[in-house]
Every structure is written in C-alpha cells, then in structure tokens.
Amino acid sequence: MQNTIKSDFRKSHFYLLICFLCLSLGHTFAQPVERAVKILVAPDREDWTYKTGDKVKFTISVFQNGNPVKNAPVRYEIGPEKMEPTIKESKTAANGTITVEAGTLKSPGFLRCVAWTNVDGGEYKGLATAGFDPQNIQPTVSNPADFDAFWDAAKKELATVPMDAKMTLLPERCTEKVNVYHVNLQNFKNNVRLYGILTIPKKEGKYPALLKVPGAGVRAYYGDVAMAEKDIITFEIGIHGVSVIMDPSVYTDLGQGALNGYPNYNLDDKDRFYYKRVYLGCVRANDFLTSLPQFDGTNLAVTGGSQGGALSIITAGLDSRVKWLGAFYPALSDVTGYLSGRAGGWPHYFEKNSVKFNNTKEKLATIGYYDVVNFARRVKVPGYYMWGYNDETCPPTSMYAAYNVTTAPKELKLYLETGHWTYPEERELMNNWLVNKLKAK
C-alpha cells in the first residue's frame, strides 16, 4: 500500500512538472489562445510572396461561430513591418469580408496589414504579411574586422577556466529509461556558474548529444526526457547563472528585478556585455556534453527558439564540435535594421522608443560582435530553420538577413501565418530532423 502511494505521488509530481514545463515554454512555442471571434487577413497569393514592384491586396474577414459577421466594423493599418503605417483606414464589411489595396515595396522586405474589429464589446486583431523578394534581403549590421580574433581570444580564456562540473540526480524526474540531473558548471570566469538539466539514457552505451538553448526570460527548466528516451543525451541550459530548479516565484522576482532588461546590460562595452557570458556559456555547455563518458565522440547538435534560435546559430558559428543546428525564429538578428529604415531584430535596440538611448558609437561597436548575422556568416554545418511571416517579435526581415548570408547547407520551412509561436507539427518535424541527423548510421 505504501509503495502504491509513493508511486501515485511520483506520477502526480511528474504531471505537475510537465504542466510547469508547458508554461515555461509558452512564450516561445505555444499557439495563441482561441477566441470567440476571428478576424482573418490574407494576401492575394497563396505563398504570400511577391516580386518587388508587384502590387498586393489583402482580404480581411470576420467570423463568429464559423459564419461571416455582417456589417462588421474593420479598422486596418498597412505598412512595412514594425514601421509607421502608410495606410490607415476604417470600413464596414457588409458581408463580413473586404478586400483592400496595399500597394507594393520597391526593395526587398515585408509589407504587413494589421486589422481590428469590435464585436459584442470585444476587440479582435488579425494580421498578414506579404514578402517581397525576401531571399534578396541583405544585412545592415557591420562585420568587425577583428570579429574572429575577439571570439578566438574569448574561447582561449574560457578554456583556462576549470569546468568544475557538479551533477545532482533528480530521482523524482527520472524514468525507467532515463536519468535526470541538475548540473552546475563553472562558466567563463572563476565563480561564475552555468546551470542546466541533463537527461541521459540509463542503458550503457555511447550516444549522440543535443544542446537545448533557451528563449528569453528567466525560468526553471525540466530537461527533454522524451528525446533522451530516443537514446540522445540532452542538456537544457539556463543562461543567468542561477539554479534552474527553484520555486517559480524566484524567477518571477528575478525577471521583474535584478534581471529585468538583461539584454541591455553593458551594451556599451564588448568585453562586459551581458551576452558574452551567455555565448561562452553555450560553448562551456558543449565542453560538458563532450566530456561525458556516454557521449559518442562525434554527433552533437544544438536547437532552440527565439533567443534560443539565435543561440543555436551562434553556438554553431563559435564551436566546430557542433555538427547540426535547428533554429526557430532567431532573435538578435540584424538589430541595426531600424537605422536603415526597416525592421530590426529583437530586442529592438534601435526602434523608435530606444534609438535615442542606444544609438551611440560605443553601443554600435559592441553590436557587431554579437549580432546573429555575423555568426551566420561563419556557420559551416547544416541547419534547419523555421519561422512565419507574421512574427511581430522577430521580424522576418531580420531573420532573412541572417539566413541569406549563411553559406552552409540550409533548409527553411515556412509556416506563413505563424507569429512568434509554432504548431505541434513544426516541433515534431524539427525533432525528427534532429533525431535523423544525430542517429544516422
């Protein structure tokens, strides 16, 4: 009886962990919540893609209970993504649908239509984005002449710091096939730590490894037991030098307090900028993975979304041990786009509300050493990339700027209507791609 109670408690605890995991990933992977009224916007081409100079029309439709809403009030704005709209109008959709002329773009980029309606006292929003020759978008960010020398020196310094790895088994998270550990490493300086969750097959043998890098924010992590049960070692890391198994309230306090705005910390100094510890921490995580006696010695991949999509590209560009990368909507890409009159990447250092503060000689000098574009130029391994045209957090203009300078083998899978989220099918497709690469015989 006592054993049954313990078993039930462990199962309940496991399901609670899964719930927390879903919540922790929500900012990056969850689909938008369904609402009673849907306002759908679509360009007049199935692939949403045009040549520069082509004219585009958007259809705006309002539905409730699956039926068009007659005489729906529609307000819409059209313009290059993240820029001031060039068209602002309001109309009544007599039959629930209207078609609007949106014009064109004369240079490669994205033209977005955002629409709102008010039904039964609630406001609803929809959008769609037309791409104009996106494969020809080129970056605006500078490529420092000493970029390689800077990062080579940083990695050499990292190599002199003892890893001092500490692993703590988490019995309540283990399964019949997988052991789960809380891991604590020394990062790029003495007494600067890196934490993460390691999942590793229990069965003796040699296995490939997958580094999972995080989206923006501060949270707990739970590891990827499902991937480990496919005979792949996984290491899911945090980037802030704090334990990743604390009470959720601690991360809330940190996110609203000491770590609020961390992407801006020391942006005026390339040697002290916050992301230096983060990028080198990803290399240190690979130091740990490749040191494990269960690692097969060859097959190592990295994956993540948003900030994690950026870190996937960056890690592959910095670390030759990485053989494949899988990136969802990478942030930190061509962040200087705003200074050239177009959208820049998250965290939007130079958009209209931040440009006066950040547009300094010192900060611009730092940016070149950390922008994803300059790591993408140096990636030499195959990559699988996924994003949508409707992403308002990581604008497609910025992501294409990095993708287009990547000369390594690459594949981009577009889910056009997605914003800063993914469908379950996307995650399954990415996981299958990673498994196939890591376990190819």
Side-chain angles (χ1 to χ4, degrees), residues 18-129:
I18 294 300
C19 291
F20 279 126
L21 173 60
C22 292
L23 287 171
S24 74
L25 292 178
H27 77 291
T28 301
F29 292 116
Q31 290 178 241
V33 175
E34 286 286 342
R35 301 189 70 193
V37 174
K38 296 177 176 62
I39 179 166
L40 304 180
V41 186
D44 57 350
R45 290 188 184 173
E46 288 186 5
D47 65 359
W48 294 25
T49 304
Y50 301 75
K51 296 291 184 183
T52 51
D54 290 350
K55 292 185 177 180
V56 58
K57 297 178 182 179
F58 289 98
T59 299
I60 304 170
S61 304
V62 181
F63 295 93
Q64 186 175 33
N65 299 321
N67 296 307
V69 177
K70 295 184 182 299
N71 298 314
V74 174
R75 174 172 60 92
Y76 61 90
E77 297 180 353
I78 298 171
E81 56 166 352
K82 306 298 285 186
M83 299 287 104
E84 286 296 317
T86 53
I87 299 173
K88 292 184 178 182
E89 293 182 353
S90 297
K91 293 183 178 180
T92 298
N95 296 315
T97 297
I98 59 172
T99 298
V100 299
E101 301 277 353
T104 188
L105 290 183
K106 295 181 179 180
S107 58
F110 288 84
L111 189 66
R112 178 166 290 161
C113 176
V114 185
W116 297 264
T117 190
N118 290 87
V119 178
D120 295 337
E123 184 175 70
Y124 302 87
K125 174 185 172 183
L127 69 140
T129 313

Side-chain angles (χ1 to χ4, degrees), residues 139-159:
T140 62
V141 70
S142 65
N143 183 15
D146 64 340
F147 181 94
D148 295 311
F150 174 78
W151 285 108
D152 285 345
K155 289 188 292 183
K156 286 179 181 176
E157 185 178 353
L158 172 68

